[in-house]
Amino acid sequence: MKKKNILTTKEAETIYKRIKKKATPSKRLKKYVHDVLLKNAHILFQYKVGRKRFGYCTYCQKDFPLEIEDKRTYTDNDVDVLYAKYNEKVICPCCGRKVTKRYAGISRPVTHADVAEFSVDKDGALIVYVYYFTYDYKNDIHVKAPHWHCYQIGYFDIHRYFHIMHSYFNDYVYLEDRNTSQLCFTNQQTVKHPNDQRQEKYEGIKCFELEKALLKSNLKYSCLMEYMADSDAVDMYRYLKMYCSYPEITEKLMKEGFEDILRSYLYGGMRGVLNFKATTVCGALRLDKQHIKYLKSLNMMLCKSDIMAMQLIMKNKIKFSRETFSFLSNHWCDLKLIQILMRFIGIQKLRTYVKKQGALCQCRYSYASDEYMFFENYRDYIDQCKQLGYDLADKNIVMPANVFQAHQELTELLNRKAAEEKARENAQKLKRFSKRLSKLQKKYSYTDGTFLIRPAEDYEDLCKEGTTLHHCVYSNYADMYIGGKTDILFIRKVSEPDKPFYTVEYNNGMVIQCRGLRNCSTTAEIRAFIEKWKAFLNTNKNKKKKEEAA
């Protein structure tokens, strides 16, 4: 099978430079924008020359007097146009078109339109040029032709495609089938909000002579027109890239009535379910003809859960029924769990087991069904069994008499194991820390007769300190201290050496923080003691340097 896109970046850039030179709207397109696309957006401006009032129709682009007959019959319509209010619909006396009356001196509008024109390259590729047309009446009501610019180009051929990605500085060609322009296209020929500069987001870019170009291109069997017919606006680029990547299977899915599946896939709803390397619809859906017939008999819009449910039915040779299908489709996220259970029981007994076990759940939400509560607990239970290395080929393990109770028991077992593992890990850390503790005691231990300061001795010592003083020294700093990343010291009264009083964090020769009961700050006498202790540390440090020098 060919690759999805055989174009190289260099080849695509060469093609882009060539087709960009032809990015000019045709006369037919300009006429279409003026006559059809903006047919409801044309205006009759009323303006004055001296004391005489005149009108200008943006559709027929003619000026005419509103008060003098000027070689034509003066009718009731002339009176209606003359005295019509601002924004009122009137009939142009020159072309007979219904237009909106506005005064030239009040808030002249800017009318916009987005439209795509299609052409066929010499090799049969479909080229898309997207233009932005603007009629700017702010400076001059007599605009004869719109300003336009081409802001998007797409190139589509079988296994050869790209579109333009915009950046702040330049454009570059994008070869993949994702990250499309995010612009929606429509084949409908009306504009609801012609003055909205972002109309393409809401209504879609209008397609001009799309079907005519498709029939001349290599994409004439793409079924693009059928795909666009059922939606107001679609991401046409995404569909065309899909067809160019897998033309055979895309065409078959469309023609055999699975457009909803294809649409869901294009918007990310079928990832991992379909097989686009297949050449038949059966192969793509991983279903046989009988089960595809069952899907069609449902007469509903199909989504990922429906396909997965039907695949499970076929794989396990389950007798099809709407009730069974609905059960599997509703719990498609837990189909792997259902497959584990189906090693031991059939689908009907499984449903009974699920409902019974869900009723035994003691942590029910008010809105949750029995089935929902079962799968919430059973998912965690199976994960716990895997962590503990239990044999999932054992029916007694896979199907306990009370899933909720078994889940609770395994939770307690895992918590005990985790606590034991933590204790072993802490014991190893403390073994390494014991060598460091003697050095810390020799370095930091000090007393002035009223207070004393010493390093913390172990986890239990830190836990007692944090619990008594109601601060986070144990929860946040225990592992850091035991691991040697910082130093934690206790300030105590000499008269109460075992009673927690103040906790100090000391690092890189600085007191980082000193906290008392409920994180209270230090008193003057504690600050004075700390200064004495720091002087003691400096004296010891200088003494050590002299000893090393001698």
Side-chain angles (χ1 to χ4, degrees), residues 300-317:
M300 57 184 282
M301 181 176 289
L302 301 173
C303 54
K304 182 176 182 177
S305 59
D306 301 324
I307 305 299
M308 291 180 68
M310 194 61 75
Q311 289 173 347
L312 183 66
I313 288 174
M314 188 186 80
K315 180 180 178 181
N316 292 275
K317 299 180 180 180

Side-chain angles (χ1 to χ4, degrees), residues 4 90 215 244 277 290 359 377 390 410 440 442 529 545:
K4 291 197 294 184
V90 296
L215 293 175
C244 292
K277 293 183 179 180
Q290 181 182 5
N377 284 275
Y390 287 178
L410 292 191
L440 294 175
K442 184 177 180 181
F529 172 72
K545 286 182 178 180

Side-chain angles (χ1 to χ4, degrees), residues 16 48 133 179 345 433 437-438 461 472:
Y16 172 60
K48 278 187 177 183
F133 288 88
N179 293 332
I345 55 175
F433 172 73
L437 178 61
S438 58
D461 207 13
C472 61

Side-chain angles (χ1 to χ4, degrees), residues 265-317:
Y265 178 84
L266 291 175
Y267 287 95
M270 287 280 179
R271 300 298 178 188
V273 176
L274 304 180
N275 174 26
F276 279 96
K277 293 183 179 180
T279 57
T280 64
V281 172
C282 291
L285 299 180
R286 295 187 174 96
L287 296 171
D288 57 27
K289 291 183 179 180
Q290 181 182 5
H291 289 85
I292 287 179
K293 185 178 179 181
Y294 289 150
L295 276 180
K296 289 184 176 180
S297 69
L298 296 171
N299 195 25
M300 57 184 282
M301 181 176 289
L302 301 173
C303 54
K304 182 176 182 177
S305 59
D306 301 324
I307 305 299
M308 291 180 68
M310 194 61 75
Q311 289 173 347
L312 183 66
I313 288 174
M314 188 186 80
K315 180 180 178 181
N316 292 275
K317 299 180 180 180

Side-chain angles (χ1 to χ4, degrees), residues 337 374-387 407 410-411 414:
L337 299 178
F374 168 78
F375 284 110
E376 282 290 297
N377 284 275
Y378 193 68
R379 190 183 306 113
D380 294 339
Y381 171 74
I382 291 297
D383 287 342
Q384 290 172 331
C385 290
K386 290 178 180 178
Q387 290 180 46
H407 173 40
L410 292 191
T411 300
L414 286 170

